[in-house]
Amino acid sequence: MPTLFTFFTIRKKIRSSVTPEAEHLGKLPRLALATVLGFVGMLAQPAHAQEELPASSPQSTSQSSSSPELGTSSSGLGATDAPQSDSPQDDRSRLSNAESLVAPASLSSDQIIHILQQNPDLVVELKSQVADRLQQQGTPIDANDISDQMLYSQIATNSDLRSNITTFLRARGYVSQDDLQSLGSSPSGGPAAAGLAGRGTTAGVADPDKLAALGLSSSLRGDGSADTIRSIRSTGNAPDNDQTRGREAVNASTDAPKVLRQPAPYNLQSMRDLYTQVPEQTASLKRFGSDVFVNRDVSAASRNGAGRDTPLDVPLGPDYVLGAGDTLTVNMWGGVTQSLNRVVDRDGRILLPDAGSLDVSGLPLQRAQSLIEDALKKQYRDVKVTVTVSRLRTVRVYVVGDVQRPGGYDISSLATPLSALFAAGGPTGAGSLRVARHLRGEKLVEDIDLYDFLLHGVRSKDAHFESGDTLLVPPAGAQVAVSGAIRRPAIYEVKPGETTLDAVIDDAGGFTAAASLANITIERIDANRQRETVTLKTSGIENAAADHVAIAEFQVKDGDRIRVAQILPYSQRAIYLEGHVLRPGRRSFTEGMRLSDVLRSYQDLLPEPASNGEIIRLVPPDLHAETINFSVPDVLIGNGNVDLQPFDTIRVLGRYQVDAPKVTIQGEVLRPTSYPMSKGMTVAQLVRMAGGFKRDALLATADLTSYGVLNGDRVTGSIATVHIGAAVAGTEPGADVPLKPGDILTIHQITGWNEIGQSVRLEGQVAYPGTYGFREGERLSSVLRRAGGLRETAYPAGAVLVRDQVRELEQKSREELIRQIETSSASARLAPNLGSGDSGATLKLIQAQQDQVLARLKSEPPTGRLVLHITADISSWESTPADIELRQGDVLTIPKRPGFVLVTGQVYNATALTFTPGKTAAWYLQHAGGTSDTANRKDIFVVRANGSVIGRHSGGLFDPAVLATKLDPGDVVVVPQKVIGASLFWRNLLTAAQLASSIAITAAVANL
């Protein structure tokens, strides 16, 4: 149970976490709120100090990369870059990742919240189940009173709740055990996170946003939306053959819309759909085309001179112009068969066998082959020749401007400007991707637009490089950022003449199907003055053709940030079905739709629906909620039909969810408990529901307690007798009584059933020791006679009868005595007249004595001995008070005659002395050496062999003193220890403790 401090701590958190809306709508009592937040045992669990309560429903926060990306300037801000501010890292994201690694059996808070955000139906169902559970536990609460913030706060702070919700998600198929195990072994969720995010979507495939929300690349914001995941960019130390592209942010029309879900006043799916906002995009965009130049290893190899030996892996045409450095392969056949490899030297010549040198530099490949063939035919008869270029020459090209690594590069003579850019690492963030100038001296050979290749796969004519050529990448021109409902959000460079919005959208892949053409906004920079917001003037959704015309005519400017908003994130023509139905969820709405079109028959409902249902209607224009009740049986037979409207929620509850009628059976049945009362249930049906009678059930009669309401203001009860055996067997007409809600049926037990199988055990000096059954009320003398009576060696005065009930009472008394000793104050131990200077040393002695007495009390268990006064002649005490009734479990031990008297306690020689008839306790004490200095001579007592005690206050006025008592064999003389401390209360307390610890001695003597 939680402590009072825990309760007030949680109550403080409750007050700080409840929103004004929740307080206004719910008006929950504090105790009910504490119970809600204590769902599944949470009240007894302290909140984690290191985790914070989210201020609202969670949403993701994008984090900008700390490492400079390739193709983007590492210094300065572009015109399209949004102003950035430093924000602290969200600790909850790191804690959630750690939780997923340490406890794979439970999802982290961010993962659970993201799944709930992507599947709002789960939130509604989860709240309903929480409310149902609390109502079953006796806390009246409505699911509408549980706000999103309360639920999310507890998910973020309580591990028990996360474990229970994980089990709930597993039962619904959103999480599998394999996913949980994979989460525990893979960093940041690993592949399993993809599987988790993919469940519950249309296609069942994880998208990057869901992967991000599960801990791979982004965290969750306080408002509950998953932000767009940024691409994972490769670095320069990637493997040589790694050509994998980074994970990109893709806007697919099949993706669930990213929205902010505000707390809804009612736990309705229709309300949750309407209480959504389309968030502003906060993720930073990257420049389109920068990923093309991710692989830097090719450029590094080129700078190291690897391009000189570039092998030829493409065929060359006859127009290829030979130059110094080309490697030619000359194949001859006919009069001679031979293959020659010749390199064109710096003078442009090759050396042929027997034909001398031949000048081929500057000649097309076809012309050079003719010259070589003519020269060789003069030396060889009927020879035929083919000439191919087996290895290309390299040319020195200078790549300058805004590139990653400007400088000179030796590249293949067939290399294109794009190849040169790859060698130089691509443009910087400030370099242009639309304009690259190929210069030969002061002559402009051509301008290259990389967008033609990146967007359309079209390569320009690309004039070949010659040694000394220059490739210049100027600064980037006008740039605009496009985001929102388009297929490829990014930053795009705009060329002069292509500045219409239509052209920019076309470069961005076009609109998605979820784009709202009537909601396009442009954040614009009024050059050198200010920022302003421009809204594109369109005609709206009624005239899409006019919207496209407006988009085609709108001119963009440098620095524009264009955002294309989405259409409404919910359907405006939908109704909702929930509760005790077979297929809950959304349904399409059509004009003229009626309630019977949704609830057609009992096959659309789960078993035993309630007789009444309700329609929660959102009434325009402000869409406030109203409830319309209807009769489920009337609707199913075609009566009482209701016209439906968009956003209607049809709710049908189960019969046992609406003030569930219950009846209770108790007593001698197999499964006594409370049962839901079905229609027309009788006492016989209730008995069968409880598994039937037990063997000890009284079948003649049973009690039926019924309750009713009198005059609507008070409850009355009545008890009736039911012939339950005849009712169940069906042998007596009218015996089977119908039940009413709240009835309690009690099945009695047959009289004396518990006494069946009772037995006692006789041990020691009886003729036939063993276990004996006995009838109710049978006495000790009867059982002893059946056991053959006592043997001649028996000592009946020392008989020990142990009874369980006596042991339990003795144990409780001993525990109370120990508690009094332990809790007694120092003032109760000391005498009132004791000086303060002596109290310290005295208390130490008292404490030592107390520890000694407590150790004896705790080490010696209670015996449960019952004092007997019997003799060997059973007839002499038969039917007297000494002839006690037996009880189940009694154990009677008849010892042999001991032949000694035991002297124990504070004596010089604690020992057993041979019994001498007629001697007193003083005589035995004297022969034991007398008392020691620590003995309390006034409180010496004698424990008789039968368990009775003789003390100084046990006799009458004229009875002899304790030491003058004549002893019998087996008696024990106990000399207690002198009690330290003059307080009368303390002396009496410890004396009683010493007596209690000595009683067990006589029981032990009987077994000697």
Side-chain angles (χ1 to χ4, degrees):
M1 294 294 292
T3 61
L4 189 62
F5 174 78
T6 305
F7 173 78
F8 283 110
T9 303
I10 296 177
R11 188 176 68 173
K12 182 179 180 181
K13 292 186 177 181
I14 295 171
R15 290 175 173 173
S16 63
S17 63
V18 175
T19 59
E21 294 85 351
E23 289 188 354
H24 175 70
L25 295 168
K27 299 295 184 181
L28 263 71
R30 296 298 179 187
L31 182 57
L33 276 174
T35 310
V36 172
L37 300 182
F39 176 50
V40 228
M42 294 173 353
L43 191 60
Q45 298 292 334
H48 297 297
Q50 69 270 25
E51 295 184 339
E52 300 177 354
L53 296 178
S56 180
S57 56
Q59 71 181 26
S60 61
T61 305
S62 62
Q63 302 291 336
S64 58
S65 176
S66 59
S67 59
E69 62 178 89
L70 185 59
T72 305
S73 175
S74 59
S75 61
L77 290 173
T80 56
D81 292 334
Q84 299 180 1
S85 61
D86 295 334
S87 61
Q89 179 70 24
D90 190 356
D91 292 337
R92 288 193 299 111
S93 178
R94 294 195 297 267
L95 288 172
S96 298
N97 291 337
E99 291 167 354
S100 65
L101 292 176
V102 174
S106 175
L107 296 177
S108 68
S109 59
D110 286 346
Q111 291 167 351
I112 292 174
I113 291 172
H114 179 73
I115 293 176
L116 296 180
Q117 288 292 333
Q118 294 297 321
N119 302 275
D121 297 344
L122 291 176
V123 180
V124 176
E125 185 176 0
L126 188 61
K127 289 183 180 179
S128 299
Q129 290 201 3
V130 172
D132 291 344
R133 182 178 182 125
L134 294 175
Q135 288 174 359
Q136 293 174 2
Q137 296 174 354
T139 302
I141 189 172
D142 191 80
N144 298 324
D145 296 330
I146 306 174
S147 67
D148 291 358
Q149 182 183 12
M150 295 161 60
L151 185 62
Y152 293 146
S153 297
Q154 288 304 308
I155 291 174
T157 57
N158 191 277
S159 58
D160 288 343
L161 180 59
R162 287 194 293 272
S163 178
N164 281 275
I165 293 181
T166 301
T167 304
F168 170 79
L169 295 175
R170 283 186 57 195
R172 296 298 185 276
Y174 290 88
V175 183
S176 69
Q177 185 62 34
D178 294 338
D179 294 332
L180 296 177
Q181 293 175 353
S182 299
L183 278 174
S185 59
S186 58
S188 300
L196 288 174
R199 300 181 189 274
T201 60
T202 303
V205 179
D207 58 75
D209 294 324
K210 294 181 180 180
L211 292 175
L214 288 173
L216 288 180
S217 166
S218 66
S219 58
L220 290 173
R221 288 200 305 263
D223 56 8
S225 69
D227 206 354
T228 304
I229 182 176
R230 298 198 322 244
S231 298
I232 299 177
R233 300 171 176 85
S234 303
T235 57
N237 54 1
D240 294 343
N241 296 325
D242 187 8
Q243 301 292 336
T244 304
R245 296 185 63 179
R247 189 179 291 113
E248 297 178 353
V250 179
N251 283 348
S253 299
T254 56
D255 292 343
K258 303 175 182 64
V259 295
L260 313 181
R261 298 194 180 275
Q262 299 297 325
Y266 300 101
N267 192 36
L268 299 173
Q269 185 57 49
S270 59
M271 272 295 188
R272 293 188 60 81
D273 285 349
L274 290 171
Y275 269 74
T276 56
Q277 297 175 335
V278 179
E280 290 285 343
Q281 181 174 352
T282 58
S284 60
L285 298 174
K286 66 175 182 177
R287 196 163 66 126
F288 174 74
S290 60
D291 282 346
V292 175
F293 304 99
V294 163
N295 193 350
R296 303 182 183 182
D297 297 310
V298 174
S299 61
S302 299
R303 295 202 65 177
N304 293 332
R308 296 190 184 93
D309 297 326
T310 304
L312 182 63
D313 55 0
V314 293
L316 296 179
D319 296 333
Y320 175 72
V321 179
L322 299 176
D326 285 339
T327 300
L328 303 181
T329 299
V330 181
N331 297 313
M332 300 181 294
W333 72 95
V336 63
T337 301
Q338 191 175 359
S339 180
L340 305 174
N341 288 328
R342 294 294 184 266
V343 179
V344 181
D345 60 19
R346 67 183 60 186
D347 295 328
R349 296 175 177 273
I350 61 173
L351 183 63
L352 298 176
D354 301 326
S357 62
L358 188 65
D359 191 357
V360 295
S361 179
L363 297 178
L365 181 59
Q366 185 176 14
R367 174 60 179 159
Q369 179 174 332
S370 298
L371 290 178
I372 294 172
E373 186 175 12
D374 292 342
L376 292 176
K377 281 184 178 181
K378 296 177 182 180
Q379 305 299 327
Y380 304 101
R381 183 179 179 182
D382 297 331
V383 70
K384 294 181 180 179
V385 178
T386 60
V387 179
T388 59
V389 180
S390 59
R391 193 170 295 274
L392 295 173
R393 68 183 183 274
T394 59
V395 295
R396 172 56 64 96
V397 175
Y398 298 93
V399 185
V400 295
D402 290 294
V403 293
Q404 295 287 345
R405 291 181 296 274
Y409 292 87
D410 293 329
I411 61 177
S412 168
S413 59
L414 290 181
T416 62
L418 187 60
S419 303
L421 279 177
F422 267 110
T428 64
S432 174
L433 286 170
R434 301 299 304 266
V435 179
R437 296 188 176 92
H438 179 188
L439 302 172
R440 188 165 294 152
E442 296 182 356
K443 177 183 177 182
L444 176 63
V445 178
E446 63 174 339
D447 283 334
I448 301 100
D449 186 353
L450 294 181
Y451 274 25
D452 290 339
F453 174 69
L454 299 176
L455 292 175
H456 311 294
V458 177
R459 297 175 61 178
S460 61
K461 294 181 181 179
D462 287 347
H464 296 302
F465 282 116
E466 295 182 3
S467 292
D469 283 1
T470 301
L471 182 64
L472 172 64
V473 177
Q479 297 184 48
V480 296
V482 188
S483 62
I486 57 171
R487 301 189 185 278
R488 195 167 47 236
I491 300 172
Y492 292 88
E493 187 176 347
V494 179
K495 289 180 66 175
E498 299 179 5
T499 57
T500 63
L501 179 57
D502 184 57
V504 175
I505 296 297
D506 185 62
D507 288 344
F511 297 108
T512 66
S516 175
L517 302 185
N519 293 279
I520 301 177
T521 57
I522 300 97
E523 298 292 334
R524 174 164 289 177
I525 298 176
D526 188 1
N528 304 317
R529 296 180 59 188
Q530 63 182 0
R531 294 181 183 269
E532 58 185 10
T533 302
V534 179
T535 301
L536 184 63
K537 296 181 179 180
T538 57
S539 61
I541 60 175
E542 300 297 333
N543 192 347
D547 293 342
H548 284 289
V549 172
I551 292 171
E553 293 177 352
F554 186 82
Q555 298 292 318
V556 299
K557 295 183 179 180
D558 185 18
D560 282 356
R561 296 183 64 86
I562 303 166
R563 184 177 184 276
V564 181
Q566 297 180 0
I567 58 176
L568 292 178
Y570 54 84
S571 173
Q572 291 185 296
R573 299 184 63 81
I575 60 173
Y576 302 82
L577 186 61
E578 66 177 38
H580 203 69
V581 294
L582 184 62
R583 301 177 183 87
R586 295 180 183 85
R587 297 286 188 277
S588 62
F589 173 80
T590 57
E591 293 296 336
M593 195 173 191
R594 310 193 74 188
L595 184 57
S596 59
D597 297 330
V598 181
L599 301 179
R600 295 181 295 273
S601 68
Y602 278 101
Q603 294 181 351
D604 295 327
L605 305 175
L606 298 179
E608 294 194 80
S611 59
N612 294 323
E614 58 187 12
I615 299 175
I616 299 93
R617 175 162 293 171
L618 305 183
V619 182
D622 61 342
L623 298 180
H624 64 276
E626 291 184 359
T627 301
I628 303 172
N629 295 320
F630 64 88
S631 171
V632 174
D634 288 348
V635 171
L636 295 179
I637 64 176
N639 298 331
N641 219 339
V642 180
D643 293 331
L644 297 179
Q645 296 182 8
F647 300 115
D648 279 355
T649 298
I650 304 168
R651 178 183 291 165
V652 179
L653 299 179
R655 182 171 179 268
Y656 304 109
Q657 294 175 309
V658 183
D659 194 17
K662 291 187 176 182
V663 289
T664 302
I665 184 170
Q666 58 190 17
E668 305 310 309
V669 289
L670 292 180
R671 293 184 295 272
T673 185
S674 295
Y675 290 93
M677 193 189 81
S678 59
K679 186 175 182 180
M681 181 180 256
T682 63
V683 291
Q685 293 174 348
L686 179 59
V687 170
R688 296 188 187 100
M689 185 72 70
F693 297 113
K694 296 169 64 175
R695 290 189 303 112
D696 60 344
L698 178 64
L699 302 183
T701 58
D703 289 343
L704 179 63
T705 305
S706 300
Y707 299 91
V709 178
L710 182 63
N711 299 327
D713 58 358
R714 63 190 181 93
V715 176
T716 61
S718 62
I719 299 178
T721 300
V722 179
H723 298 285
I724 192 64
V728 174
T731 58
E732 181 180 332
D736 197 4
V737 180
L739 295 173
K740 299 188 295 295
D743 281 359
I744 300 175
L745 179 64
T746 303
I747 309 298
H748 301 297
Q749 189 182 60
I750 297 175
T751 303
W753 182 268
N754 290 331
E755 281 72 30
I756 297 177
Q758 293 185 123
S759 63
V760 295
R761 191 168 74 252
L762 303 184
E763 298 177 349
Q765 302 304 304
V766 293
Y768 310 114
T771 301
Y772 289 84
F774 65 94
R775 64 183 180 275
E776 185 178 1
E778 188 172 4
R779 296 182 177 273
L780 177 61
S781 61
S782 175
V783 176
L784 281 176
R785 290 186 185 277
R786 286 194 285 132
L790 303 181
R791 299 175 61 182
E792 294 180 356
T793 57
Y795 184 56
V800 177
L801 179 66
V802 176
R803 180 166 289 178
D804 293 337
Q805 294 87 341
V806 176
R807 182 184 292 109
E808 293 173 0
L809 294 174
E810 189 177 342
Q811 178 64 29
K812 292 180 181 179
S813 176
R814 181 169 295 195
E815 290 175 354
E816 176 63 21
L817 182 61
I818 292 174
R819 188 193 62 79
Q820 291 183 2
I821 295 175
E822 290 178 340
T823 58
S824 59
S825 62
S827 60
R829 306 175 189 179
L830 298 175
N833 57 356
L834 190 64
S836 59
D838 301 330
S839 61
T842 305
L843 281 176
K844 290 182 180 179
L845 295 175
I846 293 175
Q847 183 64 43
Q849 188 177 51
Q850 171 185 325
D851 294 342
Q852 180 182 2
V853 173
L854 287 177
R856 290 186 60 189
L857 282 176
K858 294 177 181 179
S859 62
E860 297 175 358
T863 61
R865 181 178 182 179
L866 189 64
V867 176
L868 296 178
H869 299 281
I870 63 176
T871 63
D873 184 7
I874 297 177
S875 301
S876 65
W877 52 270
E878 185 177 4
S879 300
T880 66
D883 193 6
I884 63 173
E885 287 188 13
L886 297 178
R887 295 288 185 269
Q888 167 66 25
D890 283 354
V891 178
L892 176 64
T893 302
I894 306 295
K896 291 182 178 181
R897 184 181 180 90
F900 61 86
V901 171
L902 182 66
V903 181
T904 184
Q906 305 302 312
V907 294
Y908 285 106
N909 183 22
T911 184
L913 301 176
T914 302
F915 172 73
T916 302
K919 298 301 181 181
T920 64
W923 185 85
Y924 286 103
L925 182 61
Q926 179 182 1
H927 283 74
T931 60
S932 65
D933 295 337
T934 59
N936 182 7
R937 293 184 55 85
K938 293 183 180 180
D939 289 320
I940 295 175
F941 57 91
V942 174
V943 182
R944 291 291 191 181
N946 62 3
S948 59
V949 178
I950 300 175
R952 65 167 176 165
H953 299 295
S954 60
L957 179 63
F958 300 103
D959 289 340
V962 174
L963 293 179
T965 303
K966 294 182 179 181
L967 301 185
D968 296 325
D971 290 349
V972 180
V973 180
V974 181
V975 181
Q977 186 180 18
K978 184 184 298 182
V979 178
I980 302 174
S983 170
L984 180 62
F985 170 78
W986 182 248
R987 289 202 306 271
N988 293 335
L989 197 62
L990 280 197
T991 301
Q994 294 183 64
L995 174 62
S997 63
S998 300
I999 293 298
I1001 297 177
T1002 57
V1005 169
N1007 293 320
L1008 295 177

